[in-house]
Amino acid sequence: LVKPAGRVLASFAAFSQCALSTLVLAEHKDGALLPNTLHTLTAAKQLGGAVTVLVAGGVGSTTAVAAAASKADGVTAVLTAEHSCLAHSLAEPAAGLLGAVQRSRKYTHVLAPSSTLGRNVLPRAAALLDVQAVADVVEVRDERTFVRPIYAGNALATVQAVGEGVRMLTVRPTAFAPSATGGGSASVEPVSPEEMQAARDAAGASQWVGEEVCKSDRPELGQARVVVSGGRALKSADNFSALLDPIADKLGAAVGASRAAVDAGYAPNDLQVGQTGKVVAPDLYIAIGISGAIQHVAGMSSSKVIVAINSDADAPIFQIADYGLVGDLFKVLPQLAAELSPN
Ligand code: FAD
């Protein structure tokens, strides 16, 4: 009985004595570091210790991103990895690279934003390293204790890593403020040929065929300060855009949707907010004709101010709304659009 307990204590002591160091997988697009990386850096800094950013991408795509990352507050080093197999964020080569970098440099923590990329790459790298990843971290308590939502955000679980293995976390960007940029001066260096080889070795399991990107002048849903969301009550795709767009335009807002609205074809899939959609935390979230099912609330309950418009005074959305308007959206929205001054 004494022996196992002794081993556990010894391994924790060994972990707590070793210098903390964190690797953050950067997300970037068109030569720009995406904001979710800056949010993830804040979580990395809260862990304490040195912070290295890994920028992986196609040939010639990492220079500007690495320069931006090197200037971010708290970043001590930037690693770059350029190869055609890393051009389209395919999970296999990116995970192979991440695993190899971790194997050779032995960080205590590896973090990625809880985005499509991070959710795709980090668990694969964790499997390659034979450790358990912790997903959707919303709070760092200490270097081995993290808080994450469970049951569609209805409860928060505090989980504690045991043993000496690297802690691999995806971090929910909306739960952490963005790190400041511009003041840092971290070193930038390429990964080693051996680390690069691991990415090449892992390539080929999947192939990039193409992408269809929705173009919009509106702010990106996950980053918008204001979100105007519509639900099943809009009744048609025509109503959805005719009634929500003028309000979103005047508020400079992104448009979101409930799953019922998406499933009914009123709004495209990438606008879905909720457990199986996007998680947003804008300054202002306006839920229109949305009942407030827990799966929807899981994606927007961290919004600073929530406004609900619903004809049913007992709709659950009013339980979390800061301001509520009981009324028929078909009457209320044209009035609201007319009252709002142009953006
Ligand atoms: P409803 O629940 O039908 O609500 C419509 C609301 O409009 C009602 O409250 C009604 O009072 C109001 N209304 C009707 N007419 C008017 C009017 N004229 N004026 C004003 N108000 C009016 N849902 C998500 O949104 N996001 C998710 O990510 C998500 N993931 C899910 C995952 C799983 C595993 C499951 C099982 C479900 C998920 N759902 C998700 C679905 C969720 O449970 C609800 O079914 C969905 O959110 C309901 O959408 P809604 O509020 O638009 O529709």
Side-chain angles (χ1 to χ4, degrees):
L1 281 174
V2 170
K3 249 188 170 178
R7 271 209 297 275
V8 169
L9 280 177
S11 59
F12 173 55
F15 183 80
S16 53
Q17 276 163 18
C18 72
L20 296 172
S21 58
T22 300
L23 178 67
V24 172
L25 178 66
E27 191 160 356
H28 57 98
K29 194 164 176 45
D30 301 331
L33 191 65
L34 292 187
N36 59 17
T37 306
L38 297 175
H39 292 260
T40 307
L41 283 174
T42 299
K45 285 187 291 180
Q46 288 177 6
L47 289 162
V51 177
T52 300
V53 176
L54 173 61
V55 183
V59 178
S61 72
T62 66
T63 311
V65 184
S70 71
K71 294 192 184 81
D73 184 38
V75 174
T76 40
V78 178
L79 292 171
T80 59
E82 286 194 359
H83 191 271
S84 54
C85 71
L86 295 167
H88 301 293
S89 304
L90 293 179
E92 291 86 357
L97 173 73
L98 194 57
V101 169
Q102 170 56 25
R103 240 179 249 114
S104 58
R105 298 173 196 254
K106 305 208 180 329
Y107 299 95
T108 54
H109 298 77
V110 176
L111 271 55
S114 187
S115 58
T116 305
L117 176 84
R119 288 178 189 178
N120 207 1
V121 173
L122 193 117
R124 291 170 194 263
L128 292 173
L129 295 163
D130 200 19
V131 296
Q132 172 78 47
V134 180
D136 265 340
V137 169
V138 295
E139 188 187 331
V140 172
R141 289 267 168 89
D142 61 38
E143 76 266 16
R144 61 186 192 120
T145 316
F146 315 106
V147 179
R148 60 181 300 269
I150 55 171
Y151 304 132
N154 281 288
L156 292 172
T158 303
V159 297
Q160 200 163 61
V162 291
E164 290 173 60
V166 57
R167 282 71 165 113
M168 303 200 57
L169 321 172
T170 60
V171 170
R172 195 173 269 195
T174 51
F176 296 88
S179 226
T181 52
S185 57
S187 61
V188 179
E189 62 172 271
V191 297
S192 71
E194 294 75 28
E195 290 164 339
M196 197 63 245
Q197 185 61 42
R200 283 202 291 269
D201 289 346
S206 60
Q207 214 184 348
W208 189 79
V209 177
E211 63 184 1
E212 283 176 37
V213 182
C214 297
K215 290 211 167 62
S216 168
D217 293 335
R218 296 231 165 78
E220 207 271 311
L221 183 54
Q223 309 295 334
R225 284 184 51 248
V226 181
V227 174
V228 176
S229 263
R232 196 198 310 265
L234 270 302
K235 289 193 175 150
S236 73
D238 287 346
N239 288 341
F240 196 92
S241 52
L243 290 166
L244 298 196
D245 285 357
I247 293 168
D249 288 344
K250 289 187 174 178
L251 293 173
V255 172
S258 72
R259 178 159 151 184
V262 170
D263 286 351
Y266 306 165
N269 190 276
D270 59 322
L271 297 193
Q272 185 177 317
V273 172
Q275 183 189 341
T276 42
K278 294 205 169 112
V279 176
V280 301
D283 292 342
L284 173 62
Y285 187 90
I286 307 179
I288 300 167
I290 291 177
S291 58
I294 52 167
Q295 295 91 350
H296 186 81
V297 169
M300 45 65 77
S301 59
S302 300
S303 305
K304 292 199 181 65
V305 175
I306 296 171
V307 173
I309 300 173
N310 198 302
S311 54
D312 177 5
D314 295 324
I317 192 76
F318 287 126
Q319 291 167 15
I320 59 156
D322 299 285
Y323 300 92
L325 178 59
V326 179
D328 180 352
L329 68 86
F330 293 98
K331 291 186 184 143
V332 168
L333 292 189
Q335 290 171 8
L336 181 61
E339 288 288 327
L340 288 168
S341 53
N343 183 31

